[in-house]
Amino acid sequence: MKKIRWGIMGTGRIAGVFCNTLKELEQADIYAVASRNGEKAEEFGSRYNAVKCYGSYEELVTDDKVDIIYVATPIMCHYDNVKLCLEAGKHVLCEKAISRSVEEAKELYSLAKAKKLFLMEGMWSKCQ
């Protein structure tokens, strides 16, 4: 069975909850984590046994070994962060809310469709 190599964008509490769930799944691997602060990325990455720890989101999205990125940054950053991931050719699971407006959400879903990428808002009721 091929393991899905997850990249985690953001190192807050919700990212930790998500990583605890990923650790329980045989088909998932917490491959890389990224923060705007390299020290935070290293600390978070060591807690969850990540292979790579990046001090920028750009480094994460350009890592060829990352299959999908979980976006767990502050809501006001979701649109820009999801767009960065999609433009780099990465599949995305984004913590709610995916954007600040319907127009932004439509743009992101259109971009994902055009690039044939998976994009989903991580609404807990939908994911349970």
Side-chain angles (χ1 to χ4, degrees):
M1 168 181 25
K2 179 186 182 280
K3 284 196 171 200
I4 297 169
R5 294 169 298 210
W6 283 85
I8 310 298
M9 184 180 283
T11 56
R13 184 182 68 81
I14 297 299
V17 170
F18 186 73
C19 285
N20 283 331
T21 300
L22 285 181
K23 285 174 23 177
E24 300 299 319
L25 302 174
E26 288 181 31
Q27 67 272 31
D29 184 31
I30 302 168
Y31 177 76
V33 300
S35 174
R36 292 174 293 180
N37 176 307
E39 220 172 89
K40 283 186 179 181
E42 290 288 338
E43 179 185 309
F44 189 90
S46 73
R47 192 176 326 136
Y48 296 101
N49 301 317
V51 176
K52 300 280 186 173
C53 301
Y54 296 118
S56 78
Y57 301 148
E58 290 76 16
E59 289 176 287
L60 176 66
V61 302
T62 58
D63 186 325
D64 290 337
K65 292 189 178 174
V66 172
D67 297 315
I68 185 167
I69 295 176
Y70 175 66
V71 176
T73 56
I75 291 172
M76 65 184 194
C77 302
H78 285 181
Y79 169 80
D80 291 331
N81 294 154
V82 170
K83 190 172 182 180
L84 177 71
C85 295
L86 294 173
E87 287 175 342
K90 299 297 182 189
H91 302 286
V92 179
L93 172 61
C94 181
E95 188 54 49
K96 64 168 176 43
I98 197 164
S99 66
R100 294 169 289 189
S101 71
V102 172
E103 292 77 21
E104 286 180 351
K106 285 181 179 178
E107 181 185 336
L108 293 173
Y109 282 105
S110 291
L111 179 58
K113 185 176 181 179
K115 291 183 152 278
K116 296 182 168 94
L117 295 169
F118 174 83
L119 172 60
M120 184 174 134
E121 181 179 53
M123 212 37 192
W124 70 269
S125 57
K126 187 173 186 177
C127 294
Q128 288 187 358

